[in-house]
Amino acid sequence: MPLSSVSSLVLRHHSPRSLPPTSNRPPPHLGLLLPPFARSRAFDCQQLAAAATDDMAAAAAAAASPPTLLEHMGQAGGAADLTVLVAHIQSACKRIAALVASPGNAELSRAKAAGGAGVAAGRDAPKPLDELSNDIILSSLKSSGKVAVLASEENDLPIWITDDGPYVVVTDPLDGSRNIEVSIPTGTIFGIYNRLVELDHLPLEERAQLNSLQSGTHLVAAGYVLYSSATILCISFGAGTHAFTLDWSTGEFILTHPSLQIPPRDIFGE
């Protein structure tokens, strides 16, 4: 075939009009022309780039998502012992929330506890639901290993739990239990003090009472848990007050109301 005919055939074959619309992109089979080691390195680079992208996306998602209660304490530099104690308190409150929401709780709240007639004046007669909540709190605090004294509204005297616990907890395990009968919110109230080591030489009963009668200005932390359409744990460690809502799908209290403050004016606009 004459050379001119060959040239004409080549030009017709590679005419721009005959190229596909994506001809400006590298041919997909170009990688096959690379040596094996180059193809391997290119694949490794693609994997590293994809992994880096995934890591960046995960980090961005984590930064955008609100922290849990324990994560918040970690970010704020909370003491390790206090974090353990709060973890056990929130665990107990999740159990109480499930108890309050369970079928038959109205019957529990109406039933009189054994010996309820001898309750001191000014206090509601304890009921099984109150006592169950008290047992849950006590069991959880014992498990924490961080509590020396528990003073509960359901007990006549403070309970000495352990000699080496660094904290004292005061609580009403289930305030307003009668409200359950008419679907009004109930709650757990708690305060945390440091144990007064200077009282360790006193008799056990006196030591427990004096530890639980500290001034409110000595509180290390204080809060409440509201059991309603949502379970909300509101707590302060002395620098701001924050509310965490229980996410039942994960079992975690998630920060939903940071830095709560009393409105500067009357809420009714007066």
Side-chain angles (χ1 to χ4, degrees):
M1 180 181 294
L3 182 59
S4 60
S5 299
V6 173
S7 300
S8 176
L9 180 61
V10 170
L11 288 174
R12 284 200 305 271
H13 182 70
H14 293 286
S15 172
R17 287 175 295 180
S18 65
L19 293 175
T22 58
S23 60
N24 60 329
R25 301 177 183 174
H29 58 275
L30 183 60
L32 299 177
L33 302 179
L34 297 173
F37 73 90
R39 291 203 302 270
S40 176
R41 288 182 179 178
F43 181 72
D44 290 344
C45 289
Q46 290 176 351
Q47 282 191 318
L48 289 173
T53 301
D54 291 343
D55 290 343
M56 291 174 63
S65 61
T68 65
L69 172 56
L70 300 185
E71 288 173 345
H72 172 78
M73 293 184 67
Q75 294 169 2
D81 285 345
L82 184 60
T83 302
V84 171
L85 173 54
V86 171
H88 281 76
I89 290 176
Q90 73 165 8
S91 177
C93 291
K94 284 187 283 188
R95 292 177 60 190
I96 295 173
L99 179 66
V100 169
S102 66
N105 57 25
E107 291 298 325
L108 282 173
S109 67
R110 284 194 294 266
K112 294 290 183 181
V119 176
R123 286 178 49 192
D124 290 338
K127 301 176 181 180
L129 197 56
D130 302 82
E131 292 186 345
L132 286 172
S133 300
N134 193 51
D135 290 343
I136 290 171
I137 292 285
L138 177 59
S139 174
S140 189
L141 296 185
K142 284 182 176 179
S143 298
S144 74
K146 305 300 180 183
V147 179
V149 183
L150 168 65
S152 171
E153 195 267 346
E154 300 303 326
N155 300 118
D156 292 329
L157 295 172
I159 299 173
W160 190 269
I161 296 177
T162 179
D163 289 338
D164 55 358
Y167 295 110
V168 175
V169 175
V170 293
T171 183
D172 184 347
L174 190 62
D175 186 46
S177 58
R178 290 180 177 177
N179 295 344
I180 294 174
E181 300 178 28
V182 287
S183 299
I184 297 176
T186 56
T188 295
I189 307 169
F190 63 90
I192 302 173
Y193 295 99
N194 285 314
R195 175 172 62 90
L196 300 175
V197 294
E198 61 269 25
L199 302 178
D200 286 352
H201 66 283
L202 296 175
L204 194 64
E205 183 175 328
E206 184 179 1
R207 192 192 324 166
Q209 288 184 350
L210 292 177
N211 267 286
S212 59
L213 291 174
Q214 297 183 56
S215 167
T217 58
H218 295 163
L219 281 164
V220 174
Y224 65 86
V225 181
L226 179 70
Y227 308 117
S228 185
S229 56
T231 299
I232 300 176
L233 190 155
C234 186
I235 192 168
S236 175
F237 298 99
T241 302
H242 311 284
F244 300 78
T245 301
L246 178 59
D247 181 352
W248 284 106
S249 66
T250 62
E252 297 286 353
F253 280 96
I254 307 298
L255 179 62
T256 51
H257 301 79
S259 302
L260 293 174
Q261 294 183 348
I262 298 174
R265 61 182 179 83
D266 187 272
I267 61 174
F268 298 105
E270 297 178 357

